Amino acid sequence: MITGFILRALEGKIVIAVAILLGVAILVPALNLLAPPDSALHIPTYLMALMGKYLCYALLALALDLVWGYCGILSLGHGAFFALGGYAMGMYLMRQIGSRGVYGNPILPDFMVFLNWKELPWFWYGFDWFAFAMVMVLFVPGLLAFVFGWFAFRSRVNGVYLSIITQAMTYALMLAFFRNDMGFGGNNGLTDFKDIIGFPVQADGTRAVLFAMSAIMLALCLVIASAIVRSKFGKVLVGVRDAESRVRFLGFRVENIKLFTFVVSAMMAGVAGALFVPQVGIINPGEFAPANSIEVVVWTAVGGRGTLIGPIIGAVLVNAGKSFFTGAFPEFWLYALGGLFIAVTLFLPRGIVGTIQHGFKARQALKAAAEAEKGRGDEEAVARAVQAAE
């Protein structure tokens, strides 16, 4: 059953994308660790960490595409699931510091000692175990998505109203996490990490493994998402996106379909956040900012929603452009981002990959029409069809 589920995902473009990601997972760390620093092939550690961050963003965009591109749910709150996964990883990393902190307390993180906390809050228990933290990376975003979706989808909240509610959710979480008495570091968040599974976070070898894991998890989630959308469930999912009332009329429980997809997407976003934190070295309430979730929508739209591959490409291209423009023209970056989104909306409404796929399908259709006309001997129609295809 599981084998059949996976095999359904392995269409041509997905196989190519997975192969590229696995190749990158091997090649980039190898060039960082094995190539001499003075070699033209050497990839500096800072650049590898930057590319690892792009891969985490790509996984977040893929998660959004699953609900927006295939289920029609425009979520403006996926940054919340990303941040919650990041905080779960950050809590584990903070527990690994132990007595090496500024205040030398083996149990309490430095910010708790500074705020005169006397004991560890109950919700920090268990985060000294890596396995428990990884379960929380999936469970906490998934639980929030389940509770939110349970009420929203059963109330038949749709369209712009649902988008506004998701944005309100992430904004409320941002305000809550800014408070010092929440026990998550307040405005400063969680930082100054030392070890992960016993290995120094700042070591080149550890960063290489984190980069490889980011690429591998992106490939794995791509396969899972592809298997979902190419299954019978995926056909119903697209039906919900295109004609929800008809799907409901046919007897499907639309709210359950949306809820399942929303929870899976949230868990993917949580994984992205967990991989993001040790590579950037900090997690703070700013990750909950609504603007971050809106940026994810831009990445997905630029790459092409409803394509799976497109959001990955869009996230990498937009963030690479952001890194360049914020260094070369920092005062113009927001204008460039807004202009890019407007340009894509006007001239590439299907996004980069969506436009390419549409053009390829149109060309195939015209060639098929040309062959059909040729079989009937209509030479003039053949010439028109071939000319249009070219």
Side-chain angles (χ1 to χ4, degrees), residues 18-44:
V18 169
I20 292 174
L21 288 171
L22 295 180
V24 167
I26 297 171
L27 183 61
V28 172
L31 293 178
N32 171 257
L33 298 175
L34 302 179
D38 57 350
S39 171
L41 297 177
H42 178 72
I43 296 179

Side-chain angles (χ1 to χ4, degrees), residues 361-372 384-390:
K361 290 179 181 178
R363 186 181 180 87
Q364 284 185 321
L366 288 171
K367 285 186 175 180
E371 291 294 331
R384 289 198 304 269
V386 172
Q387 184 179 9
E390 294 176 350

Side-chain angles (χ1 to χ4, degrees), residues 44-188:
T45 301
Y46 81 88
L47 183 57
M48 181 174 62
L50 184 62
M51 290 189 291
K53 185 172 74 169
Y54 294 164
L55 291 177
C56 295
Y57 287 151
L59 178 52
L60 177 58
L62 174 65
L64 178 65
D65 190 43
L66 187 61
V67 293
W68 185 31
Y70 290 92
C71 196
I73 301 172
L74 177 54
S75 170
L76 297 180
H78 258 54
F81 306 129
F82 179 83
L84 288 173
Y87 265 97
M89 173 60 82
M91 292 167 72
Y92 163 77
L93 295 173
M94 292 296 291
R95 293 299 310 273
Q96 300 308 299
I97 296 175
S99 58
R100 291 173 294 174
V102 174
Y103 297 100
N105 191 304
I107 302 298
L108 298 181
D110 284 338
F111 73 88
M112 292 186 184
V113 178
F114 178 77
L115 295 173
N116 293 320
W117 289 58
K118 301 304 180 184
E119 59 183 15
L120 194 71
W122 64 268
F123 48 83
W124 278 75
Y125 292 158
F127 277 97
D128 50 338
W129 298 322
F130 182 77
F132 178 84
M134 293 306 98
V135 171
M136 291 298 104
V137 164
L138 295 172
F139 177 75
V140 175
L143 178 62
L144 175 62
F146 180 83
V147 173
F148 176 89
W150 177 274
F151 291 103
F153 301 141
R154 275 164 174 71
S155 300
R156 300 194 182 183
V157 180
N158 291 308
V160 66
Y161 303 104
L162 182 61
S163 300
I164 292 173
I165 293 175
T166 56
Q167 193 168 59
M169 173 190 69
T170 189
Y171 185 67
L173 286 170
M174 182 185 71
L175 295 179
F177 273 72
F178 264 119
R179 296 170 57 91
N180 286 328
D181 57 4
M182 281 289 289
F184 295 105
N187 181 59
N188 295 322

